[in-house]
Amino acid sequence: MLTVNAYGATSATEPLAPMTIERRDLGPKDVLIEIRYAGICHSDIHTVRSEWGECPYPLAPGHEIAGVVAEVGAEVTKHRVGDRVGVGCMVNSCGRCVNCEKGEEQFCVEGNVQTYGSIDRDGTVTQGGYSTHVVVTEDFVLRIPDGLELDVAAPLLCAGITTYSPLRHWNAGPGKKVGVVGLGGLGHMAVKIAHAMGAEVTVLSQSLKKQEDGLRLGADHYHATSDPETFQKLRGSFDLIVNTVSAQLPIDSYLGLLAVDGALVNVGAPAEPLSVNAFSLIGGRRSFAGSLIGGIRETQEMLDFCAEHGLGAEIEVIPAERINEAYERVLASDVRYRFVIDTSTL
Ligand code: NAP
Ligand code: ZN
């Protein structure tokens, strides 16, 4: 067992604080990763504040992990010491069910093992990436391609794949009009990726404060959702809308922005339910859907795509002691556009 420095929560209401956590001894298929950077996802905040249900304390969150392989188990074939690697939101799954077989481990019938706060297949509670090292079975370790620096790559492991997957699934590309609701961590990657796929991209943000950034990131258009005119002007215009907002939204208003057969895909995960009026769907044969991260194979595809197109996250690197302040800024929609912890400060 390896005892390592980490930063985590001891209750839903206390600020996060330094702590130590245990990493298991290296099994034959395990990889020991020296973590260099860990992104701060809004899901970390929902989780440690027990907004999605009681979280197991003490808990170090973090599922946007980038680092270097420090040691490998005897039977590891996919990774070598010194490789630049990443770990996202999952660290295990059954590997045998219909969804795992398809490479969609996120939908494992037995439930995927989340990177933190989950019961691993050996019965221990998983601890996340706000730490110096992690041990992960080799199948859940991704290769970070040359050309992507580790700090800007870290957020791709969640924000990147969570937006890439629905954009691919709903065929974002040339001739398609894609709306992105919320310009935060996920939203800014959705803009970059949809633009690189060739779609016409519109940002729908609460205000025009980040308009210049949105256009620079690759959006063709930018509108404020606080302006009721926006919902009139853009009525019936999108093939796909990806909603990345972490809070409740008036879903019917956004469904009204879809063209016939358009889809509103929710990746935002507010604790409160979202409601839909049936007429918002039947009026234009529209869909209201959801999407959860992406499978391991698709995550590697996303990393390769981002490297090929020169897409990293826009980040603000912070020392561990600024994690609580970063949380407050994320909650105030004041993130530009992902906080990344320099884990050498742990
Ligand atoms: P984030 O960086 O905080 O971005 C969310 C953005 O939503 C904000 O920057 C803001 O953008 C907008 N927003 C926030 N509060 C709002 C409100 N009350 N009304 C309207 N807009 C609001 O968060 P994130 O890390 O991107 O995560 C976003 C959500 O996705 C979270 O709920 C997270 O848990 C979830 N998530 C889901 C998956 C999945 O697999 N489905 C994976 C990762 C994260 P503007 O200022 O531009 O309006
Ligand atoms: Zn995340």
Side-chain angles (χ1 to χ4, degrees):
M1 208 96 90
L2 189 62
T3 301
V4 302
N5 287 346
Y7 217 87
T10 50
S11 82
T13 49
E14 292 296 306
L16 275 67
M19 55 174 59
T20 57
I21 55 173
E22 313 257 279
R23 297 305 191 185
R24 66 172 179 259
D25 288 329
L26 218 59
K29 296 270 190 202
D30 281 339
V31 176
L32 171 67
I33 300 167
E34 185 190 310
I35 301 173
R36 297 282 168 82
Y37 296 100
I40 294 180
C41 177
H42 204 122
S43 301
D44 302 347
I45 306 176
H46 290 305
T47 303
V48 299
R49 299 196 172 181
S50 287
E51 291 172 15
W52 288 341
E54 185 62 18
C55 131
Y57 302 105
L59 186 73
H63 58 205
E64 294 186 332
I65 299 172
V68 174
V69 175
E71 206 179 324
V72 295
E75 291 168 22
V76 168
T77 57
K78 296 179 176 163
H79 309 283
R80 288 194 212 152
V81 171
D83 283 359
R84 290 151 25 93
V85 293
V87 177
C89 304
M90 302 180 280
V91 289
N92 222 333
S93 73
C94 84
R96 291 179 306 270
C97 72
V98 53
N99 297 326
C100 286
E101 295 250 301
K102 279 195 290 199
E104 297 199 309
E105 302 87 351
Q106 74 274 34
F107 304 129
C108 175
V109 171
E110 293 182 20
N112 73 66
V113 177
Q114 301 265 295
T115 302
Y116 57 81
S118 246
I119 309 284
D120 206 343
R121 299 184 70 79
D122 64 6
T124 58
V125 174
T126 55
Q127 295 286 346
Y130 299 5
S131 63
T132 57
H133 296 78
V134 63
V135 174
V136 180
T137 185
E138 67 166 341
D139 291 344
F140 286 79
V141 177
L142 286 305
R143 223 175 343 95
I144 296 184
D146 293 339
L148 273 181
E149 295 299 333
L150 291 180
D151 53 358
V152 301
L156 302 180
L157 276 306
C158 173
I161 184 59
T162 301
T163 50
Y164 180 91
S165 184
L167 288 167
R168 269 276 178 264
H169 187 81
W170 276 272
N171 301 313
K176 291 288 170 72
K177 292 189 178 177
V178 174
V180 174
V181 191
L183 194 65
L186 267 56
H188 94 289
M189 284 314 307
V191 170
K192 285 188 170 209
I193 293 170
H195 174 70
M197 288 173 172
E200 182 179 332
V201 183
T202 300
V203 173
L204 299 162
S205 177
Q206 294 167 94
S207 73
L208 294 178
K209 272 192 279 191
K210 299 181 260 187
Q211 182 167 24
E212 223 173 88
D213 288 346
L215 299 176
R216 176 174 54 79
L217 294 169
D220 301 281
H221 317 282
Y222 198 108
H223 295 276
T225 52
S226 53
D227 179 358
E229 271 277 291
T230 294
F231 291 90
Q232 290 309 316
K233 267 193 301 219
L234 301 179
R235 211 173 161 70
S237 65
F238 295 104
D239 299 297
L240 170 64
I241 297 175
V242 179
N243 174 25
T244 74
V245 172
S246 47
Q248 255 182 336
L249 276 192
I251 292 301
D252 294 304
S253 306
Y254 289 85
L255 286 169
L257 301 181
L258 291 172
V260 171
D261 286 328
L264 169 58
V265 181
N266 219 85
V267 292
E272 312 76 25
L274 298 168
S275 78
V276 176
N277 184 323
F279 289 95
S280 307
L281 297 172
I282 62 186
R285 201 165 51 201
R286 300 176 178 119
S287 312
F288 181 43
S291 187
L292 176 67
I293 48 173
I296 293 297
R297 190 169 54 225
E298 193 175 43
T299 304
Q300 190 62 59
E301 177 188 306
M302 174 279 305
L303 287 167
D304 296 342
F305 177 91
C306 287
E308 190 187 321
H309 293 268
L311 308 181
E314 301 265 312
I315 57 168
E316 191 171 330
V317 177
I318 58 162
E321 66 192 28
R322 288 185 49 208
I323 291 172
N324 291 301
E325 176 194 329
Y327 273 28
E328 293 310 317
R329 283 186 52 198
V330 169
L331 289 168
S333 300
D334 179 28
V335 50
R336 310 257 171 133
Y337 283 84
R338 201 57 142 183
F339 288 106
V340 171
I341 303 159
D342 173 353
T343 55
S344 70
T345 61
L346 288 163

